[in-house]
Amino acid sequence: AFPCVSRDGRSLVFRHLFDLYRLHPGKDEPPVRLEIWDDSDSDKSPIERRSLAQAAEVAFSDDGLEVAFIAGGDLWVMDTELREPRQITKTPEEERDPVFAPDGNAILFTSDQGGQCDLWRAQRERPEQFWWQNDRFKLDRLTEDADVEQDLQWSPEGTRVAFIKGNGDLWTLDPQRGAAQRVLKSWNRPQYQWSPDGKWFVTAMDDANFNADIWLLHA
């Protein structure tokens, strides 16, 4: 592509794929790939600026002072007064469903890292400071399977998190011990809510005739 003849007509330079080649017309010689070097200083700015139009999903801490949100597919956190955002994840995959732990020491979310949707936990490197005052975070994968996790809800006492998995199964997980338990097996995604004492679930599920009923389940 883009052939160009020299002024004296003895050389032809053209592009092939991502390289430039020189050819001497009329001579039985193969084209020669040109080595191009750039020894000049880079003019790339050391500061990367990104413009993110809006937050897709938002979760607030219990005291209302900090907010976690998804923007540009990544998880961010900031305070609600100064509004100085801090980026927690920097992945090419998508993050979703952020939710603060009741004690404010962790943020659970789902991520497509590694090519599958799993449950992840973010924690501050300096827990004595606010989330927005940290610039480094510890990330832990809590589940690792091919099923999709979504709709995360912490139990009122903050020891377990509930989520929908696969086609509609309701599971609970202790993030500290990593112990997961299926509470409900369902073929479609139910709506659910913890009871105030954390011992029960109330769910709305469709039956085989797509009629929604309300059920109580022991957690």
Side-chain angles (χ1 to χ4, degrees), residues 13 30 38 66 74 78 88 104 134 150 167 183 197 207:
V13 175
D38 181 11
E66 296 186 280
D74 289 312
M78 73 177 183
I88 296 180
N134 282 258
Q150 57 186 318
N167 291 331
V183 179
D197 59 6
D207 58 20

Side-chain angles (χ1 to χ4, degrees), residues 193-204:
Q193 192 73 37
W194 287 92
S195 64
D197 59 6
K199 296 181 179 180
W200 297 85
F201 286 110
V202 60
T203 66

